[in-house]
Amino acid sequence: MYFIGKASDDYGLNTLAFHYTITPQNGKSKGLQSQKLPKDTGREIQFSHIFDIRKLGLNPGDQLSFYFEVIDNDAIHGGKSAKSSVMQYSKPTVEEIKKQEEENDEEVKDELKNALKSIEKLQENFQKMRDKLLQQKQLEWQDKKQMENFWKNRKITGEYQKSKEKLDENIKNQEEFNKQPEDIKEEQQKLQELMEKAMDPEAEELMEKIMELMQELDKEDAVQMIDQFKMENEALEKKMDRLLNLYKELEVEKMVKDQIEELNKLAEKQDALSDKTEKKEGNQEALKKEQEELNNKFEELQKKMEELEKKNEELERPKDLGEKNEEEMDDIQEDMEDSQDKLDKKDNAGASKSQKNASKKMKNKASKMQESMDGASSDQAQEDVKTLRQLLENLVKLSFDQEDLSKFIEKSVINTPPYVKSIQKQFKLKNDFQIIEDTLVALSNRNSDIEGFVMDKVSEIKFNFKESLKLLEERSLAQGVEKQRRVMKNLNDLALMLSESLENAQQQAAQGMPGAQQCSKPGNAKGKKAGKKPMDKISQGQQGLGDQVQKMKDKLKEGKDGKDGNSSKDYAEAAAKQAALRKALQEMQKEKQEQGKGSKELEELINNMDKIETDLVNKRLNYETLKRLKDIETRLLEAEKAEQQREQDEKRKSETALDKRREIPQSIQEYLKKRQAETEMYKTVSPSLKPYYRTMVDQYYQSLKKSE
């Protein structure tokens, strides 16, 4: 809490102090704590104070009271004091926080739904505008203005930002009040990262710049821009839809964990009450009251269970919560009500037996729910392995089909029937990829580690498919074939990633590793964060690629009649390996840039890797390619050595814990400076003035301040 204030007295001020006291939720008030604050001299002072409540270690439900006090320096009559009004802060109870979490959960989902509706509306408007432009001869001024308004009036960013703030608030409250299991924390962190990436600031800035150029567009450019907007919007729509589904899944997982925990706690309390009932500890009324409280808590659990089942049914892929939930919960309730009846009849032995049965059934129910969740994770992992294998086969086949078609088109004559048939085949390949895309996106939606990579590659493949068809229909042969090769390159990148992911998933399944046994990004076999390959692994991989390319070069020399001795698969594999290594290096560079340690040398290496990748995709293998490969190997080894030396230097450094000084926020500091300037102006009043006139000046100054 940040405080600013003022105090004044005709005699001047001697002491300024801050007092506070803590009152526990169910206890007596603790002693008054005081803190003397620094102050300026003079009859009127300005002061500020920072109060960090977290350092007090308040428990949920505790109440904090605090106020300021000043004492004047009237030496004749003794120091007189004045106090500010007493202010209060109540730390929320666990129940209040849980209620707030539930409200925030609903708000997050509502805002994400609103963002999705805004995106759909924007898509609809762009489609209408596109249809309208195609019927016109030229682009009118009103059309440009309308397109600009479509983009500016969208509400996606605001709605999305609200949902993100609510999620952050929930996580912050959980860290303080309601500790979550590690797997739930990891899911929340992934969700936070995805929300950070969903609204890409660079894409937003690019669209704003494009809108500024609207006045210079003609009809054809406008249609092309609308297509670009639609593509961006479609990608954003998928991200929002995925975020909404992920949030719903996380909400259900949290509710299941809470239900299991509450059932176990209630079972322990019921078990303890059973022992007390059997031994007749305490009076009968107290036992009856305690059982009644447990019955009420169980009724609340039943309501939450019904809510959980309802939310689970709303998921795209509902989770397995076990069978006969309603019957089992009703059975437990019957035992608890039976124990209540027997306590009323003073049949403690019978009541104790019913209480034991209820406790046992609650524990069994909690255990079944946990087993169902664990079993679902295992089943999902096996299903993902099967899906990965099928996807990999389909991608490789599609890549080879595209390669064959590309070779045929290169040799075709554009004004012949076979050329027309080849375009029809290209349409078929595009449609085949749409079928693969659905499964690929569904798989990536269950795994945030590969989601970004998959979405980027899918977007590139779709774009290049579309462009290749457009160019081939326009009889632009060379450009169309170049787009086909880009399709092949991105298909191979995806295939390589899925191949490594499949291997990792199979290893995890074989070792019976705990946790989410889903596919991961390349380089994530040991549970490392995706994309964070150490420098030595990258340099080793680059050396291996260099050896592979050298062998390909030797084969090229051995080819008969000038033919290449390497297959297209050899080039595709080498290009895919180079792409994976480049991606790993880009992730490393990005991480260093975030720490303020970005390197121009790494940026150059990334660019050279990209050039090699382009050469391999286009089957260009010459002296320049080999020279560039050797140069990359050498510079990677040098970078690796420098990295090791840096790590050793950092290990030698000893760090001293620093007590960070808390400062008042900049906005308040500016306000304080303004107030200070007013005080300085006041202090410039001539000291030669008699007390009566000084008082008049003081009153005039105060009236000016009140009128502001």
Side-chain angles (χ1 to χ4, degrees), residues 417-431:
Y419 182 81
V420 176
K421 285 185 178 180
S422 65
I423 294 177
Q424 292 172 353
K425 287 181 181 178
Q426 185 68 24
F427 268 108
K428 182 181 181 302
L429 293 180
K430 178 175 174 287
N431 294 334

Side-chain angles (χ1 to χ4, degrees), residues 207-359:
M207 289 302 163
E208 294 295 344
K209 287 177 182 177
I210 292 174
M211 295 312 303
E212 292 173 6
L213 300 172
M214 282 294 298
Q215 303 306 320
E216 303 172 14
L217 296 180
D218 57 21
K219 174 187 167 181
E220 189 175 336
D221 291 334
V223 172
Q224 189 174 354
M225 183 184 292
I226 288 175
D227 289 338
Q228 186 176 352
F229 281 160
K230 286 182 68 182
M231 190 178 295
E232 290 284 342
N233 236 25
E234 186 181 340
L236 184 58
E237 185 177 7
K238 286 182 179 179
K239 287 179 183 177
M240 287 294 172
D241 188 49
R242 178 172 182 254
L243 282 172
L244 180 58
N245 289 323
L246 275 178
Y247 198 85
K248 287 179 178 179
E249 286 181 12
L250 181 60
E251 185 183 20
V252 169
E253 285 179 21
K254 277 199 305 179
M255 289 182 73
V256 172
K257 298 279 184 185
D258 289 343
Q259 284 284 83
I260 292 171
E261 187 179 350
E262 290 295 325
L263 277 168
N264 283 324
K265 283 182 181 177
L266 200 58
E268 289 174 7
K269 289 180 180 178
Q270 185 68 84
D271 208 22
L273 181 59
S274 174
D275 292 338
K276 286 167 67 177
T277 303
E278 188 177 12
K279 296 173 184 176
K280 297 183 179 180
E281 295 179 4
N283 61 60
Q284 198 72 7
E285 287 301 317
L287 293 173
K288 285 164 60 179
K289 186 178 180 181
E290 194 171 343
Q291 183 61 54
E292 187 178 354
E293 288 176 357
L294 292 180
N295 287 359
N296 291 336
K297 286 183 178 178
F298 187 76
E299 284 179 14
E300 290 177 12
L301 265 180
Q302 280 185 301
K303 290 178 183 177
K304 288 181 181 178
M305 179 66 78
E306 290 171 5
E307 185 182 353
L308 170 61
E309 289 180 339
K310 184 180 177 182
K311 289 187 175 182
N312 188 49
E313 288 171 4
E314 293 173 359
L315 297 179
E316 286 187 356
R317 297 169 61 90
K319 299 184 181 296
D320 182 8
L321 302 179
E323 298 177 357
K324 302 179 181 179
N325 284 324
E326 190 175 348
E327 292 179 19
E328 290 173 342
M329 296 295 276
D330 288 342
D331 195 20
I332 295 169
Q333 188 178 25
E334 284 179 14
D335 283 330
M336 295 179 79
E337 289 174 352
D338 185 53
S339 66
Q340 184 77 45
D341 293 338
K342 286 177 179 174
L343 282 171
D344 289 336
K345 297 173 183 177
K346 298 183 180 180
D347 180 9
N348 285 34
S352 176
K353 185 178 178 181
S354 295
Q355 288 166 340
K356 286 281 186 189
N357 287 336
S359 173

Side-chain angles (χ1 to χ4, degrees), residues 375-598:
S377 297
S378 178
D379 292 343
Q380 184 64 69
Q382 292 176 11
E383 185 181 335
D384 284 347
V385 168
K386 190 184 295 183
T387 304
L388 275 167
R389 191 178 291 113
Q390 187 61 52
L391 273 173
L392 186 57
E393 290 176 7
N394 292 341
L395 281 170
V396 171
K397 183 179 184 304
L398 187 62
S399 177
F400 281 125
D401 289 345
Q402 181 65 83
E403 181 185 10
D404 293 341
L405 183 60
S406 178
K407 286 179 178 178
F408 178 80
I409 288 176
E410 263 187 312
K411 300 172 184 177
S412 298
V413 179
I414 57 176
N415 295 319
T416 59
Y419 182 81
V420 176
K421 285 185 178 180
S422 65
I423 294 177
Q424 292 172 353
K425 287 181 181 178
Q426 185 68 24
F427 268 108
K428 182 181 181 302
L429 293 180
K430 178 175 174 287
N431 294 334
D432 289 345
F433 180 73
Q434 286 180 342
I435 299 170
I436 296 174
E437 179 193 355
D438 294 337
T439 309
L440 195 58
V441 171
L443 179 68
S444 69
N445 283 347
R446 298 197 294 273
N447 191 322
S448 59
D449 287 340
I450 66 171
E451 186 264 347
F453 183 83
V454 168
M455 288 298 184
D456 289 344
K457 290 298 175 185
V458 166
S459 180
E460 288 181 36
I461 290 168
K462 288 173 70 176
F463 175 78
N464 286 304
F465 262 131
K466 183 179 177 182
E467 288 296 304
S468 67
L469 282 165
K470 178 184 173 184
L471 290 164
L472 291 174
E473 286 177 338
E474 292 173 353
R475 301 310 193 257
S476 299
L477 200 62
Q479 294 93 324
V481 169
E482 193 270 334
K483 295 297 181 185
Q484 287 179 321
R485 284 176 179 161
R486 288 185 179 274
V487 169
M488 288 162 51
K489 173 190 172 299
N490 289 305
L491 286 171
N492 291 337
D493 288 348
L494 274 176
L496 178 67
M497 183 274 293
L498 291 181
S499 177
E500 293 192 21
S501 297
L502 176 60
E503 185 180 346
N504 295 337
Q506 287 172 332
Q507 286 176 358
Q508 289 176 349
Q511 294 168 5
M513 291 178 67
Q517 298 177 5
Q518 297 176 3
C519 60
S520 59
K521 253 188 176 180
N524 200 24
K526 296 182 181 180
K528 294 179 183 177
K529 196 167 182 181
K532 291 189 177 177
K533 282 189 177 181
M535 184 63 81
D536 59 339
K537 296 292 183 186
I538 297 175
S539 59
Q540 286 173 17
Q542 193 66 38
Q543 285 175 345
L545 177 64
D547 295 339
Q548 181 179 343
V549 173
Q550 183 61 57
K551 290 177 182 176
M552 290 171 65
K553 179 67 175 174
D554 296 339
K555 275 189 183 181
L556 187 63
K557 292 177 182 177
E558 295 169 5
K560 296 179 181 179
D561 301 325
K563 291 183 179 179
D564 191 346
N566 300 294
S567 67
S568 298
K569 186 178 179 182
D570 293 333
Y571 282 103
E573 285 179 356
K577 284 182 182 178
Q578 185 63 85
L581 291 166
R582 174 180 54 79
K583 184 79 173 175
L585 199 60
Q586 281 177 328
E587 291 290 332
M588 184 177 287
Q589 172 73 331
K590 184 180 177 182
E591 185 181 349
K592 287 180 179 293
Q593 286 172 341
E594 288 171 357
Q595 299 169 357
K597 301 176 182 178

Side-chain angles (χ1 to χ4, degrees), residues 4 665-677:
I4 55 173
Q666 187 64 32
S667 57
I668 300 181
Q669 285 185 25
E670 290 173 3
Y671 175 73
L672 287 175
K673 285 177 183 177
K674 183 181 176 183
R675 291 280 297 268
Q676 186 66 28

